[in-house]
Amino acid sequence: MPESDGRVNILGLTRPAFETLSGGGRSRALGRVYRRAFAEGRFEPGTEPIGREKAAALAARVALRLPAVERVVEEEGPFGTTAKALLRLDDGQRVECVRVPVARRVPEPGPATLCVSTQVGCRMGCVFCESGRQGFVRDLRPEEIVGQYAAARLTLGWDIGQIVFMGMGEPLDNFDGLAGALAVLLDESGPAFSQDDLTVCTIGPPEGIARLKGLGLKRLNLSVSLNAPDDALRGELMPATRGAGLETLAAALALYPQRRNFALAVNYCLMPGLNDGEGAPEEISAFLRAAAPSGRAVVNLIPYNPGPSPIGRAPTEAEIESFTRRLEAAGARVKLRTPRGRGLMAACGQLGRAG
Ligand code: SF4
């Protein structure tokens, strides 16, 4: 998609697409121009032996443009610093991305996870989510999704080892943007992520899951937000799921590639008094069995993080412990997700446009 000055942003191009735009076939020199853009933040076709005319033509057609970092807020936690960056896009819209430290046994700095946005706002309207409350503005283009990673690495100097599509927006509601960004992030001449280091986090539109499967990325991680044990409550908390019940969702997930070491992550935001009632663990467990019949599934239990417009309260330690035990007794594997970034509104469902 052309930028405002008519040039295409290289951050949205795979190497083959870049080479096609250059008007020539694959060449080492072009590969170096492409690689340097992602590794060093420099787009300088004139420094490589590709011919003066070709270099000029490329510079006229392609540019490297990073989103502007407007603000960064940080919070120290047990695993390191969580940082939220507010980024301004070409049209003045703003998105956020979050650097989340990875829990390690040895408390030494290492690559972090970057949580990126896929839309400005979100049309899914989940009642516990800040982005949902703000409404939908527009989809992000591939270069704007990759641009969050590029700004994190090149402008902010963050060491990023994994990317999770879990910021503002429903990734599968912007399928083309997501697919384009995945292709660039996986490009061996560019960011060169492995599929195992990328996770798509979705509320699970079944047709979107089928399209994701159609990309043929067998090692891409998938994480689904469940948040309710039955259709009625899920429809209340996440209105966009009303058209497709849990049975349909589980059937779509069961068809997603279940490689031997694949574990379907099922996110469950624990809201005491709302979604932890009698029978909930058994219903969740039945969903896991249906969604991952030949593979493994794990519940990521996330304590609810009340934002500025809370719909409930945060669970106590005892409530978290009790719900974990009940889930395990019902046969579910459970991981407790330690909240990181609560104070700076960087926890799940709390990214917004204003920061
Ligand atoms: S939880 Fe995700 S899908 Fe739901 S409104 Fe928020 S950003 Fe959108």
Side-chain angles (χ1 to χ4, degrees), residues 14 16-17 21 25 31 42 59 97 140 145 148 159 169 174 189 215 226 229 268 315 331 335 339 354:
T14 58
L21 257 185
R42 292 192 289 136
C97 63
L140 294 184
I145 300 173
Q148 295 166 64
D159 185 9
N174 176 17
S189 300
L215 291 180
L226 185 64
Y268 201 87
K335 267 196 204 162

PDB file of all heavy atoms in Angstrom, residues 14 16-17 21 25 31 42 59 97 140 145 148 159 169 174 189 215 226 229 268 315 331 335 339 354:
ATOM      1  N   THR A  14       7.808  -8.478   1.684  1.00  0.00           N
ATOM      2  CA  THR A  14       8.732  -9.610   1.799  1.00  0.00           C
ATOM      3  C   THR A  14       9.893  -9.344   0.823  1.00  0.00           C
ATOM      4  O   THR A  14       9.778  -8.482  -0.063  1.00  0.00           O
ATOM      5  CB  THR A  14       8.042 -10.924   1.397  1.00  0.00           C
ATOM      6  OG1 THR A  14       7.561 -10.771   0.063  1.00  0.00           O
ATOM      7  CG2 THR A  14       6.892 -11.257   2.343  1.00  0.00           C
ATOM      8  N   PRO A  16      10.893 -11.231  -1.711  1.00  0.00           N
ATOM      9  CA  PRO A  16      10.480 -11.398  -3.124  1.00  0.00           C
ATOM     10  C   PRO A  16       9.648 -10.224  -3.628  1.00  0.00           C
ATOM     11  O   PRO A  16       9.816  -9.786  -4.764  1.00  0.00           O
ATOM     12  CB  PRO A  16       9.656 -12.700  -3.088  1.00  0.00           C
ATOM     13  CG  PRO A  16      10.170 -13.445  -1.907  1.00  0.00           C
ATOM     14  CD  PRO A  16      10.549 -12.414  -0.896  1.00  0.00           C
ATOM     15  N   ALA A  17       8.758  -9.698  -2.771  1.00  0.00           N
ATOM     16  CA  ALA A  17       7.930  -8.558  -3.206  1.00  0.00           C
ATOM     17  C   ALA A  17       8.814  -7.343  -3.445  1.00  0.00           C
ATOM     18  O   ALA A  17       8.604  -6.573  -4.393  1.00  0.00           O
ATOM     19  CB  ALA A  17       6.865  -8.254  -2.154  1.00  0.00           C
ATOM     20  N   LEU A  21       9.413  -5.330  -6.965  1.00  0.00           N
ATOM     21  CA  LEU A  21       9.252  -3.881  -7.093  1.00  0.00           C
ATOM     22  C   LEU A  21      10.496  -3.233  -7.701  1.00  0.00           C
ATOM     23  O   LEU A  21      10.406  -2.202  -8.370  1.00  0.00           O
ATOM     24  CB  LEU A  21       9.017  -3.262  -5.709  1.00  0.00           C
ATOM     25  CG  LEU A  21       7.597  -2.862  -5.343  1.00  0.00           C
ATOM     26  CD1 LEU A  21       7.587  -2.172  -3.998  1.00  0.00           C
ATOM     27  CD2 LEU A  21       6.999  -1.944  -6.395  1.00  0.00           C
ATOM     28  N   GLY A  25      15.312  -9.569 -10.738  1.00  0.00           N
ATOM     29  CA  GLY A  25      15.176 -10.836 -10.025  1.00  0.00           C
ATOM     30  C   GLY A  25      15.954 -10.812  -8.726  1.00  0.00           C
ATOM     31  O   GLY A  25      16.428  -9.770  -8.279  1.00  0.00           O
ATOM     32  N   GLY A  31      19.349  -8.219  -1.752  1.00  0.00           N
ATOM     33  CA  GLY A  31      19.121  -8.872  -0.466  1.00  0.00           C
ATOM     34  C   GLY A  31      19.765  -8.095   0.667  1.00  0.00           C
ATOM     35  O   GLY A  31      19.192  -7.972   1.751  1.00  0.00           O
ATOM     36  N   ARG A  42      18.229   1.164   7.982  1.00  0.00           N
ATOM     37  CA  ARG A  42      18.754   2.009   6.900  1.00  0.00           C
ATOM     38  C   ARG A  42      18.294   1.453   5.557  1.00  0.00           C
ATOM     39  O   ARG A  42      18.424   0.243   5.307  1.00  0.00           O
ATOM     40  CB  ARG A  42      20.287   2.024   6.929  1.00  0.00           C
ATOM     41  CG  ARG A  42      20.846   2.744   8.142  1.00  0.00           C
ATOM     42  CD  ARG A  42      22.329   2.988   7.986  1.00  0.00           C
ATOM     43  NE  ARG A  42      23.101   1.771   8.101  1.00  0.00           N
ATOM     44  CZ  ARG A  42      24.118   1.434   7.298  1.00  0.00           C
ATOM     45  NH1 ARG A  42      24.455   2.213   6.306  1.00  0.00           N
ATOM     46  NH2 ARG A  42      24.788   0.323   7.495  1.00  0.00           N
ATOM     47  N   ALA A  59      14.751   4.048  -4.892  1.00  0.00           N
ATOM     48  CA  ALA A  59      14.590   5.104  -3.886  1.00  0.00           C
ATOM     49  C   ALA A  59      13.326   5.930  -4.166  1.00  0.00           C
ATOM     50  O   ALA A  59      12.716   6.480  -3.246  1.00  0.00           O
ATOM     51  CB  ALA A  59      15.820   6.005  -3.869  1.00  0.00           C
ATOM     52  N   CYS A  97       2.133  -0.694  21.672  1.00  0.00           N
ATOM     53  CA  CYS A  97       2.716  -2.029  21.747  1.00  0.00           C
ATOM     54  C   CYS A  97       3.409  -2.131  23.106  1.00  0.00           C
ATOM     55  O   CYS A  97       3.755  -1.108  23.711  1.00  0.00           O
ATOM     56  CB  CYS A  97       3.677  -2.302  20.597  1.00  0.00           C
ATOM     57  SG  CYS A  97       5.120  -1.249  20.548  1.00  0.00           S
ATOM     58  N   LEU A 140      -4.950  -2.015  10.647  1.00  0.00           N
ATOM     59  CA  LEU A 140      -3.559  -1.651  10.401  1.00  0.00           C
ATOM     60  C   LEU A 140      -3.064  -2.393   9.163  1.00  0.00           C
ATOM     61  O   LEU A 140      -3.428  -3.548   8.925  1.00  0.00           O
ATOM     62  CB  LEU A 140      -2.676  -2.022  11.598  1.00  0.00           C
ATOM     63  CG  LEU A 140      -2.933  -1.259  12.900  1.00  0.00           C
ATOM     64  CD1 LEU A 140      -1.910  -1.666  13.956  1.00  0.00           C
ATOM     65  CD2 LEU A 140      -2.898   0.247  12.689  1.00  0.00           C
ATOM     66  N   ILE A 145       1.905  -2.997  11.296  1.00  0.00           N
ATOM     67  CA  ILE A 145       2.044  -4.044  12.320  1.00  0.00           C
ATOM     68  C   ILE A 145       3.535  -4.372  12.498  1.00  0.00           C
ATOM     69  O   ILE A 145       4.067  -4.359  13.611  1.00  0.00           O
ATOM     70  CB  ILE A 145       1.240  -5.307  11.921  1.00  0.00           C
ATOM     71  CG1 ILE A 145      -0.255  -4.949  11.784  1.00  0.00           C
ATOM     72  CG2 ILE A 145       1.421  -6.408  12.961  1.00  0.00           C
ATOM     73  CD1 ILE A 145      -1.117  -6.075  11.225  1.00  0.00           C
ATOM     74  N   GLN A 148       5.601  -1.719  14.369  1.00  0.00           N
ATOM     75  CA  GLN A 148       5.677  -1.713  15.837  1.00  0.00           C
ATOM     76  C   GLN A 148       6.913  -2.477  16.296  1.00  0.00           C
ATOM     77  O   GLN A 148       7.625  -2.058  17.211  1.00  0.00           O
ATOM     78  CB  GLN A 148       4.410  -2.325  16.426  1.00  0.00           C
ATOM     79  CG  GLN A 148       3.156  -1.518  16.128  1.00  0.00           C
ATOM     80  CD  GLN A 148       1.891  -2.306  16.410  1.00  0.00           C
ATOM     81  OE1 GLN A 148       1.620  -2.669  17.551  1.00  0.00           O
ATOM     82  NE2 GLN A 148       1.106  -2.563  15.380  1.00  0.00           N
ATOM     83  N   ASP A 159      15.166  -5.701  22.964  1.00  0.00           N
ATOM     84  CA  ASP A 159      15.562  -7.026  22.490  1.00  0.00           C
ATOM     85  C   ASP A 159      14.297  -7.895  22.467  1.00  0.00           C
ATOM     86  O   ASP A 159      13.756  -8.230  23.523  1.00  0.00           O
ATOM     87  CB  ASP A 159      16.608  -7.596  23.470  1.00  0.00           C
ATOM     88  CG  ASP A 159      17.165  -8.921  23.000  1.00  0.00           C
ATOM     89  OD1 ASP A 159      16.883  -9.314  21.857  1.00  0.00           O
ATOM     90  OD2 ASP A 159      17.883  -9.560  23.791  1.00  0.00           O
ATOM     91  N   GLY A 169      -7.194  -4.652  18.960  1.00  0.00           N
ATOM     92  CA  GLY A 169      -7.764  -5.248  17.755  1.00  0.00           C
ATOM     93  C   GLY A 169      -7.853  -6.759  17.799  1.00  0.00           C
ATOM     94  O   GLY A 169      -7.170  -7.424  18.566  1.00  0.00           O
ATOM     95  N   ASN A 174      -8.738  -8.585  10.897  1.00  0.00           N
ATOM     96  CA  ASN A 174      -7.889  -7.880   9.919  1.00  0.00           C
ATOM     97  C   ASN A 174      -6.980  -8.930   9.304  1.00  0.00           C
ATOM     98  O   ASN A 174      -5.755  -8.891   9.441  1.00  0.00           O
ATOM     99  CB  ASN A 174      -7.072  -6.780  10.617  1.00  0.00           C
ATOM    100  CG  ASN A 174      -6.105  -6.082   9.674  1.00  0.00           C
ATOM    101  OD1 ASN A 174      -6.236  -6.179   8.455  1.00  0.00           O
ATOM    102  ND2 ASN A 174      -5.133  -5.380  10.238  1.00  0.00           N
ATOM    103  N   SER A 189      15.296 -13.151   5.151  1.00  0.00           N
ATOM    104  CA  SER A 189      16.195 -12.022   4.870  1.00  0.00           C
ATOM    105  C   SER A 189      15.817 -10.788   5.682  1.00  0.00           C
ATOM    106  O   SER A 189      16.533  -9.799   5.667  1.00  0.00           O
ATOM    107  CB  SER A 189      16.156 -11.668   3.383  1.00  0.00           C
ATOM    108  OG  SER A 189      16.551 -12.762   2.615  1.00  0.00           O
ATOM    109  N   LEU A 215      -3.169 -20.675   5.648  1.00  0.00           N
ATOM    110  CA  LEU A 215      -1.852 -20.111   5.352  1.00  0.00           C
ATOM    111  C   LEU A 215      -0.781 -21.196   5.348  1.00  0.00           C
ATOM    112  O   LEU A 215       0.329 -20.994   4.866  1.00  0.00           O
ATOM    113  CB  LEU A 215      -1.469 -19.041   6.391  1.00  0.00           C
ATOM    114  CG  LEU A 215      -2.266 -17.732   6.378  1.00  0.00           C
ATOM    115  CD1 LEU A 215      -1.755 -16.799   7.475  1.00  0.00           C
ATOM    116  CD2 LEU A 215      -2.171 -17.044   5.026  1.00  0.00           C
ATOM    117  N   LEU A 226     -11.168 -17.521  25.840  1.00  0.00           N
ATOM    118  CA  LEU A 226     -12.440 -18.198  26.133  1.00  0.00           C
ATOM    119  C   LEU A 226     -13.279 -17.329  27.079  1.00  0.00           C
ATOM    120  O   LEU A 226     -14.372 -16.890  26.741  1.00  0.00           O
ATOM    121  CB  LEU A 226     -12.154 -19.572  26.757  1.00  0.00           C
ATOM    122  CG  LEU A 226     -13.352 -20.473  27.013  1.00  0.00           C
ATOM    123  CD1 LEU A 226     -14.032 -20.858  25.709  1.00  0.00           C
ATOM    124  CD2 LEU A 226     -12.927 -21.731  27.781  1.00  0.00           C
ATOM    125  N   PRO A 229     -17.591 -20.076  30.481  1.00  0.00           N
ATOM    126  CA  PRO A 229     -17.756 -21.518  30.324  1.00  0.00           C
ATOM    127  C   PRO A 229     -18.895 -21.899  29.376  1.00  0.00           C
ATOM    128  O   PRO A 229     -18.988 -23.047  28.953  1.00  0.00           O
ATOM    129  CB  PRO A 229     -18.080 -21.982  31.752  1.00  0.00           C
ATOM    130  CG  PRO A 229     -18.727 -20.799  32.400  1.00  0.00           C
ATOM    131  CD  PRO A 229     -18.133 -19.576  31.755  1.00  0.00           C
ATOM    132  N   TYR A 268      -8.170 -17.502  29.895  1.00  0.00           N
ATOM    133  CA  TYR A 268      -9.379 -17.368  30.706  1.00  0.00           C
ATOM    134  C   TYR A 268      -9.131 -16.276  31.739  1.00  0.00           C
ATOM    135  O   TYR A 268      -8.330 -16.431  32.661  1.00  0.00           O
ATOM    136  CB  TYR A 268      -9.703 -18.686  31.396  1.00  0.00           C
ATOM    137  CG  TYR A 268     -11.158 -18.805  31.822  1.00  0.00           C
ATOM    138  CD1 TYR A 268     -12.117 -19.297  30.938  1.00  0.00           C
ATOM    139  CD2 TYR A 268     -11.576 -18.413  33.097  1.00  0.00           C
ATOM    140  CE1 TYR A 268     -13.444 -19.406  31.302  1.00  0.00           C
ATOM    141  CE2 TYR A 268     -12.912 -18.523  33.471  1.00  0.00           C
ATOM    142  CZ  TYR A 268     -13.839 -19.016  32.569  1.00  0.00           C
ATOM    143  OH  TYR A 268     -15.159 -19.119  32.932  1.00  0.00           O
ATOM    144  N   PRO A 315      -9.621 -10.858  41.271  1.00  0.00           N
ATOM    145  CA  PRO A 315      -9.744 -11.986  42.204  1.00  0.00           C
ATOM    146  C   PRO A 315      -8.663 -11.919  43.283  1.00  0.00           C
ATOM    147  O   PRO A 315      -7.576 -11.397  43.050  1.00  0.00           O
ATOM    148  CB  PRO A 315      -9.532 -13.207  41.302  1.00  0.00           C
ATOM    149  CG  PRO A 315      -8.724 -12.708  40.154  1.00  0.00           C
ATOM    150  CD  PRO A 315      -9.105 -11.274  39.950  1.00  0.00           C
ATOM    151  N   GLY A 331      -9.628 -31.867  35.191  1.00  0.00           N
ATOM    152  CA  GLY A 331      -8.790 -32.464  34.149  1.00  0.00           C
ATOM    153  C   GLY A 331      -8.068 -31.471  33.266  1.00  0.00           C
ATOM    154  O   GLY A 331      -7.465 -31.857  32.264  1.00  0.00           O
ATOM    155  N   LYS A 335      -2.024 -22.838  33.642  1.00  0.00           N
ATOM    156  CA  LYS A 335      -0.850 -21.986  33.901  1.00  0.00           C
ATOM    157  C   LYS A 335      -1.392 -20.677  34.416  1.00  0.00           C
ATOM    158  O   LYS A 335      -2.318 -20.111  33.811  1.00  0.00           O
ATOM    159  CB  LYS A 335      -0.097 -21.708  32.598  1.00  0.00           C
ATOM    160  CG  LYS A 335       1.005 -22.655  32.293  1.00  0.00           C
ATOM    161  CD  LYS A 335       1.878 -22.039  31.212  1.00  0.00           C
ATOM    162  CE  LYS A 335       2.636 -23.091  30.451  1.00  0.00           C
ATOM    163  NZ  LYS A 335       3.134 -22.568  29.176  1.00  0.00           N
ATOM    164  N   PRO A 339       0.307 -11.270  36.225  1.00  0.00           N
ATOM    165  CA  PRO A 339       0.054 -10.003  35.548  1.00  0.00           C
ATOM    166  C   PRO A 339       1.305  -9.141  35.531  1.00  0.00           C
ATOM    167  O   PRO A 339       1.967  -8.994  36.543  1.00  0.00           O
ATOM    168  CB  PRO A 339      -1.039  -9.336  36.388  1.00  0.00           C
ATOM    169  CG  PRO A 339      -1.499 -10.365  37.346  1.00  0.00           C
ATOM    170  CD  PRO A 339      -0.417 -11.376  37.482  1.00  0.00           C
ATOM    171  N   ALA A 354      -5.178   6.346  23.455  1.00  0.00           N
ATOM    172  CA  ALA A 354      -4.657   7.556  24.078  1.00  0.00           C
ATOM    173  C   ALA A 354      -3.496   7.274  25.003  1.00  0.00           C
ATOM    174  O   ALA A 354      -2.708   8.132  25.307  1.00  0.00           O
ATOM    175  CB  ALA A 354      -5.765   8.250  24.840  1.00  0.00           C
TER     176      ALA A 354
END
